[in-house]
Amino acid sequence: GAVVSQHPSRVICKSGTSVKIECRSLDFQATTMFWYRQFPKQSLMLMATSNEGSKATYEQGVEKDKFLINHASLTLSTLTVTSAHPEDSSFYICSARRTSGGADTGELFFGEGSRLTVL
Amino acid sequence: RKEVEQDPGPFNVPEGATVAFNCTYSNSASQSFFWYRQDCRKEPKLLMSVYSSGNEDGRFTAQLNRASQYISLLIRDSKLSDSATYLCVVTRGGSNYKLTFGKGTLLTVNP
């Protein structure tokens, strides 16, 4: 099956630093990737939709200057949390929608998630 | 009204029980529907797609009612390993592709 790799799986950083999280589709091309965050015992909250070669579409309430998304290739999207603060501590998960080859079932393939802790 | 609403949990059932989850969606333009399962501190994994005619996969049955705008998931003969959070997902397609997750329903199957 399709695989999405997310890195790093866990990161601890100091307040004020920036953290980059990578999301790669390993065996398929993904023109669209999604970034979510999940607080404990809550559902996934869509932050933004990342489109290859164009600007990301952010959900209401998500600061685009705070959460920089770059989708430079068909297999890689990155999320950079800039000037991280303790309230940014969360579980960030990416997913990719396979649209190349085969039928587009609408199925999403998720990365393993990245747990960010900001001290 | 929220775009996707799920049964509030948690559900605690004994092994072997049958349990059903419902999920309603507000946007009639929604096109695709899925049930995902998420184990604690893990990423969600697709459990099954939901088709208009209803579909079954072993002990799991999913149904879609477009007129009433809800989907359901039925688990028969529940196992301990079924304990997880079940998320319904609704997507809208086209150039404005969007997917929305429900909050999830926590199921605990007890021995």
Side-chain angles (χ1 to χ4, degrees):
Chain A
V3 177
V4 173
S5 173
Q6 193 172 334
H7 177 81
S9 59
R10 194 178 292 266
V11 58
I12 300 173
C13 69
K14 291 182 180 179
S15 188
T17 59
S18 294
V19 175
K20 181 187 281 189
I21 302 170
E22 292 187 348
C23 181
R24 292 180 186 274
S25 56
L26 297 185
D27 54 356
F28 66 98
Q29 293 180 331
T31 54
T32 307
M33 289 186 174
F34 305 91
W35 287 96
Y36 315 82
R37 67 187 297 182
Q38 185 176 33
F39 292 107
K41 300 190 178 184
Q42 304 256 339
S43 186
L44 295 160
M45 185 194 81
L46 180 65
M47 298 175 65
T49 301
S50 169
N51 299 296
E52 187 267 336
S54 64
K55 290 183 180 180
T57 303
Y58 289 81
E59 295 300 300
Q60 194 171 14
V62 179
E63 298 175 60
K64 60 180 181 181
D65 295 329
K66 172 77 173 176
F67 300 99
L68 300 178
I69 290 173
N70 186 285
H71 195 153
S73 77
L74 287 171
T75 59
L76 174 64
S77 176
T78 60
L79 168 69
T80 302
V81 183
T82 61
S83 187
H85 290 285
E87 58 266 29
D88 298 324
S89 299
S90 188
F91 192 50
Y92 292 87
I93 308 179
C94 71
S95 71
R97 180 187 175 207
R98 183 169 59 184
T99 54
S100 68
D104 177 10
T105 63
E107 183 181 358
L108 304 173
F109 299 93
F110 285 85
E112 305 94 329
S114 301
R115 189 163 299 281
L116 171 64
T117 303
V118 184
L119 303 176
Chain B
R1 183 182 172 187
K2 291 183 181 175
E3 208 164 331
V4 178
E5 292 199 66
Q6 279 188 249
D7 278 343
F11 282 60
N12 287 284
V13 302
E15 249 185 309
T18 296
V19 61
F21 305 134
N22 288 323
C23 175
T24 58
Y25 58 96
S26 60
N27 193 325
S28 59
S30 300
Q31 293 183 308
S32 301
F33 309 88
F34 305 90
W35 283 102
Y36 277 74
R37 164 195 174 127
Q38 185 176 25
D39 294 296
C40 187
R41 292 177 171 257
K42 297 284 184 73
E43 75 277 17
K45 291 187 189 296
L46 179 66
L47 179 65
M48 59 198 301
S49 304
V50 186
Y51 302 122
S52 297
S53 54
N55 48 300
E56 191 174 303
D57 183 2
R59 298 180 293 109
F60 300 85
T61 301
Q63 291 194 312
L64 166 64
N65 186 319
R66 283 192 184 272
S68 301
Q69 295 183 195
Y70 79 82
I71 64 174
S72 64
L73 176 69
L74 182 77
I75 305 176
R76 290 183 299 278
D77 187 24
S78 52
K79 313 288 185 192
L80 296 177
S81 57
D82 293 334
S83 298
T85 296
Y86 291 83
L87 302 159
C88 74
V89 177
V90 175
T91 73
R92 261 199 333 256
S95 59
N96 195 28
Y97 183 86
K98 181 176 180 180
L99 59 92
T100 308
F101 282 83
K103 279 196 169 182
T105 302
L106 176 62
L107 170 67
T108 302
V109 180
N110 301 303

